[in-house]
Amino acid sequence: MSLLVLGTVAFDTIETPFGKADRIIGGAGTYVAWASSHFYNDIKLVSVIGGDFPQEELDALSARGVSMEGLEVRKDEKSFFWAGRYHNNMNSRDTLATELNVLEQYTPVLPDNIKEVDYLMLGNFAPGVQKSVLDQLTKRPKLVAMDTMNFWMDIAMDDLKAVIKDVDVLTINDEEARQLSGEYSLVKAAEVILEMGPTHLIIKKGEHGALLFHKEGMFYVPALPLEQVYDPTGAGDSFAGGFMGYLAQTDDFSFENMKRALVYGSVVASYCVQEFGPNKLKAIDEEAIKARTNEFLKLMDISMSVLA
Amino acid sequence: MSLLVLGTVAFDTIETPFGKADRIIGGAGTYVAWASSHFYNDIKLVSVIGGDFPQEELDALSARGVSMEGLEVRKDEKSFFWAGRYHNNMNSRDTLATELNVLEQYTPVLPDNIKEVDYLMLGNFAPGVQKSVLDQLTKRPKLVAMDTMNFWMDIAMDDLKAVIKDVDVLTINDEEARQLSGEYSLVKAAEVILEMGPTHLIIKKGEHGALLFHKEGMFYVPALPLEQVYDPTGAGDSFAGGFMGYLAQTDDFSFENMKRALVYGSVVASYCVQEFGPNKLKAIDEEAIKARTNEFLKLMDISMSVLA
């Protein structure tokens, strides 16, 4: 019944208007794994790191039910490194440095015991790497979700579309939905993208929430307005992790349950941005998730019948 | 039990990526009156027009329950005129022309029979004009709402704050909330603004929906994702009109009912943007409002209890 998570495990240097964090733990795989571990504890992480990555970080994840058979460690190489600076509005950022290091020559090789899983989260990675994981599975998972970003649309659109064709759920942001579809209206963009393969499209709008598109309808989950956002890094990955962790826990892919998963993804993402790196994600517990879920439900709560 | 509506009645020339509309009917008062007339039919419009304004437009409003005792007509002058061009994303616009005309020397003089009303909507206008209407009322209305814009914050912040102090509901957009409060976080901005006088703050976020802040809590209503937005002009005024029209109809200012009013405001605004000017607002009927309200409720519908 495992949840396989593909995603980078890396170091990040992050500058925001509220401070700077130097070479902290980051990467889509890290955020997805931490976020999903709050809902599910049979997670297999697929990624690659160098000899410089701290063992205690891996141990902390293992203690949460994240197994490392699929994690390749290259002792003599360095882990992926990204540095970025957020603008004042936190909605946009500049990349200051990207050192691929171990990612330069990475093709995942899945050990036999993780080739059959029920849930697969293809975190943001080169489309070729995402495809390679899909291709090595000996059984089609019950649910396959993928995240990606505009970078891959710019340089590898055909490869990307080949992966999108094979997934059930695609999560991208609003600008990426426009780029991928060539449509400005998100309704039209969703129509085009749902023709490309996925049965579900989630459009992430950052501080403006997220939209789920499916043939049964649309659903909107707001972002919780917060007193302070310290660091948006990993918010989308945390969202995907909470979403998939909840779906793996409940094993229910009805539209109604997908909507609940969208709320839990938003809950986890709302915590993620409140500290630098994945620190807050590590610190929260079941009580914290319950409390914030109630805040979301209150924010969305409406009791009305249509005018007679 | 009347609803008094202050707002400009004007001509607009509008360019959007989808076309151009030359000297069509516009103005905050026009949009508010049309929008609220779908919910309530004892509306008093307070404004000023020139001799160039078409009588049939006034007749159409009168037929919807909007009375014109408070409308000053200056036969020898020209109505207010605004021209603007929207950018591709429809979220920002350039003003191409502003001809104040009749507005240059306007101080409303309320006839005696409209000095006692139950509901007051101070649409976007110079703060001094808004204040003058408030001051002429012989009885405090049950509910006073006001709209304003960054223009008045730039040139008349003190006057503006003097009006804000006296209203129950303030509707502004997210950038204006930041400017007015000096806080970037909308949560902090709302705290500051609710200290200025209003008991309710509505932050309008255009295509991203709207937030209601009150001491009892926060509520979020999404905007309905649309296939096509032709012209955002008047969306905020339509929102305010639907909001106040529904509150006047129900005469219930509980937080629960304010939330419903927020949904109806959004319903009307979602129609407004689908055609140039107030055309769509004029064309819709009760059936259309019911149908779209159901679309909103579906978009927001979630059934979940928090994880035990």
Side-chain angles (χ1 to χ4, degrees):
Chain A
M1 295 283 287
S2 308
L3 165 61
L4 194 70
V5 170
L6 168 73
T8 52
V9 174
F11 292 111
D12 287 342
T13 288
I14 297 161
E15 291 176 47
T16 82
F18 304 104
K20 186 176 171 180
D22 213 34
R23 284 189 70 80
I24 58 173
I25 301 304
T30 305
Y31 284 101
V32 172
W34 271 106
S36 54
S37 78
H38 290 292
F39 299 91
Y40 196 65
N41 58 15
D42 179 6
I43 299 167
K44 317 286 186 188
L45 182 60
V46 175
S47 195
V48 60
I49 53 175
D52 53 355
F53 201 83
Q55 183 61 39
E56 62 266 29
E57 290 292 334
L58 304 178
D59 294 343
L61 273 172
S62 296
R64 308 263 328 158
V66 181
S67 79
M68 302 292 167
E69 307 101 288
L71 181 71
E72 187 180 330
V73 184
R74 299 195 191 156
K75 287 280 172 232
D76 302 328
E77 296 183 41
K78 287 166 71 182
S79 300
F80 175 51
F81 170 75
W82 176 82
R85 183 190 294 133
Y86 288 87
H87 302 164
N88 279 333
N89 66 11
M90 295 285 215
N91 287 330
S92 56
R93 67 187 186 188
D94 295 323
T95 289
L96 303 178
T98 305
E99 297 171 13
L100 287 177
N101 299 325
V102 287
L103 294 192
E104 250 173 273
Q105 303 278 341
Y106 176 57
T107 307
V109 179
L110 299 192
D112 282 342
N113 67 320
I114 64 173
K115 283 184 176 169
E116 206 178 298
V117 296
D118 278 336
Y119 320 102
L120 172 62
M121 177 67 223
L122 297 170
N124 178 35
F125 228 116
V129 173
Q130 293 178 317
K131 188 78 164 64
S132 136
V133 167
L134 260 180
D135 289 346
Q136 290 176 63
L137 298 177
T138 50
K139 188 193 76 168
R140 164 81 192 177
K142 293 184 188 175
L143 192 76
V144 178
M146 81 177 274
D147 186 36
T148 186
M149 67 185 293
N150 54 354
F151 179 76
W152 305 115
M153 296 178 190
D154 292 340
I155 67 166
M157 186 62 107
D158 288 346
D159 291 349
L160 185 62
K161 285 186 174 170
V163 191
I164 289 174
K165 196 165 67 64
D166 282 341
V167 306
D168 303 302
V169 183
L170 175 66
T171 73
I172 47 181
N173 72 28
D174 39 3
E175 284 319 307
E176 290 156 356
R178 285 166 176 146
Q179 184 173 355
L180 180 60
S181 65
E183 291 285 351
Y184 187 81
S185 152
L186 296 183
V187 175
K188 288 188 189 171
E191 278 171 20
V192 171
I193 293 168
L194 290 178
E195 286 293 316
M196 292 179 179
T199 50
H200 297 77
L201 169 68
I202 296 172
I203 298 182
K204 301 172 290 182
K205 307 205 300 173
E207 62 161 330
H208 303 302
L211 275 161
L212 170 65
F213 291 90
H214 177 60
K215 66 176 189 311
E216 282 183 39
M218 276 189 289
F219 173 65
Y220 191 99
V221 60
L224 190 72
L226 295 167
E227 291 248 342
Q228 189 69 270
V229 171
Y230 278 96
D231 174 16
T233 310
D237 305 313
S238 305
F239 175 90
F243 175 81
M244 278 302 276
Y246 178 73
L247 289 176
Q249 179 198 85
T250 52
D251 196 45
D252 170 358
F253 314 124
S254 66
F255 186 54
E256 283 307 311
N257 204 51
M258 287 276 179
K259 297 199 294 189
R260 290 179 202 115
L262 216 68
V263 174
Y264 283 115
S266 305
V267 163
V268 180
S270 77
Y271 275 125
C272 175
V273 301
Q274 290 192 296
E275 284 188 27
F276 276 95
N279 287 340
K280 190 82 177 181
L281 274 192
K282 295 180 186 181
I284 55 173
D285 59 11
E286 203 178 309
E287 280 310 305
I289 289 178
K290 275 197 232 175
R292 184 141 297 174
T293 305
N294 279 325
E295 286 186 81
F296 268 84
L297 293 180
K298 221 171 142 185
L299 181 69
M300 303 163 72
D301 174 63
I302 180 85
S303 158
M304 70 190 279
S305 49
V306 172
L307 283 178
Chain B
M1 296 286 286
S2 308
L3 164 62
L4 194 70
V5 171
L6 168 72
T8 52
V9 174
F11 294 111
D12 288 341
T13 288
I14 297 161
E15 291 176 47
T16 82
F18 304 103
K20 186 177 172 181
D22 212 33
R23 283 186 72 79
I24 57 173
I25 301 303
T30 306
Y31 284 102
V32 172
W34 271 106
S36 53
S37 78
H38 290 291
F39 300 91
Y40 196 65
N41 58 14
D42 179 5
I43 299 167
K44 316 284 187 189
L45 181 61
V46 175
S47 195
V48 60
I49 53 174
D52 53 353
F53 200 83
Q55 183 62 38
E56 63 266 29
E57 290 293 333
L58 304 177
D59 293 344
L61 273 172
S62 297
R64 308 262 329 158
V66 182
S67 80
M68 302 290 168
E69 308 100 286
L71 181 72
E72 188 181 330
V73 183
R74 299 195 191 155
K75 288 278 172 232
D76 302 328
E77 296 185 40
K78 286 167 70 183
S79 301
F80 174 52
F81 171 75
W82 175 82
R85 182 189 295 131
Y86 288 87
H87 301 165
N88 278 334
N89 66 11
M90 294 283 217
N91 287 328
S92 55
R93 66 187 187 190
D94 296 324
T95 288
L96 302 179
T98 306
E99 297 171 14
L100 288 177
N101 300 326
V102 286
L103 293 192
E104 249 174 274
Q105 304 277 341
Y106 176 57
T107 307
V109 179
L110 299 193
D112 282 343
N113 68 322
I114 65 172
K115 284 185 178 169
E116 207 179 295
V117 297
D118 279 335
Y119 320 102
L120 172 61
M121 177 67 224
L122 298 169
N124 179 37
F125 228 117
V129 173
Q130 292 177 317
K131 187 78 166 64
S132 137
V133 168
L134 258 180
D135 288 348
Q136 290 176 65
L137 298 178
T138 51
K139 188 192 79 165
R140 163 84 192 176
K142 293 183 189 177
L143 191 77
V144 178
M146 81 178 274
D147 187 36
T148 185
M149 65 185 295
N150 54 351
F151 179 75
W152 305 114
M153 296 179 191
D154 291 340
I155 68 165
M157 185 62 105
D158 288 346
D159 291 350
L160 184 63
K161 284 186 175 171
V163 192
I164 289 175
K165 196 166 68 62
D166 282 342
V167 306
D168 302 303
V169 183
L170 175 66
T171 72
I172 47 182
N173 72 27
D174 40 2
E175 284 319 307
E176 290 156 357
R178 286 168 175 142
Q179 183 174 355
L180 181 59
S181 65
E183 292 284 352
Y184 187 80
S185 151
L186 297 182
V187 176
K188 288 187 188 172
E191 279 171 21
V192 170
I193 293 168
L194 290 178
E195 284 295 314
M196 291 178 179
T199 51
H200 297 76
L201 170 67
I202 296 171
I203 298 182
K204 300 171 291 182
K205 308 205 299 173
E207 62 161 330
H208 303 302
L211 275 160
L212 170 64
F213 290 91
H214 177 59
K215 65 178 190 310
E216 282 183 41
M218 277 188 288
F219 173 64
Y220 192 100
V221 61
L224 190 72
L226 296 168
E227 290 248 342
Q228 189 70 273
V229 171
Y230 277 95
D231 174 15
T233 308
D237 306 313
S238 305
F239 175 90
F243 176 81
M244 279 303 277
Y246 177 74
L247 289 176
Q249 179 198 84
T250 53
D251 196 44
D252 171 357
F253 315 124
S254 65
F255 186 55
E256 282 308 311
N257 204 51
M258 288 276 179
K259 298 198 295 188
R260 290 179 204 115
L262 217 68
V263 174
Y264 284 115
S266 305
V267 163
V268 180
S270 77
Y271 275 124
C272 175
V273 302
Q274 290 191 297
E275 283 187 26
F276 276 94
N279 287 341
K280 189 83 179 179
L281 275 191
K282 295 181 185 179
I284 55 173
D285 59 10
E286 204 179 308
E287 280 310 305
I289 289 179
K290 276 199 234 175
R292 185 142 295 177
T293 305
N294 279 327
E295 286 186 81
F296 268 85
L297 294 180
K298 221 172 144 185
L299 181 68
M300 305 163 70
D301 173 62
I302 180 85
S303 158
M304 70 190 279
S305 48
V306 171
L307 283 178

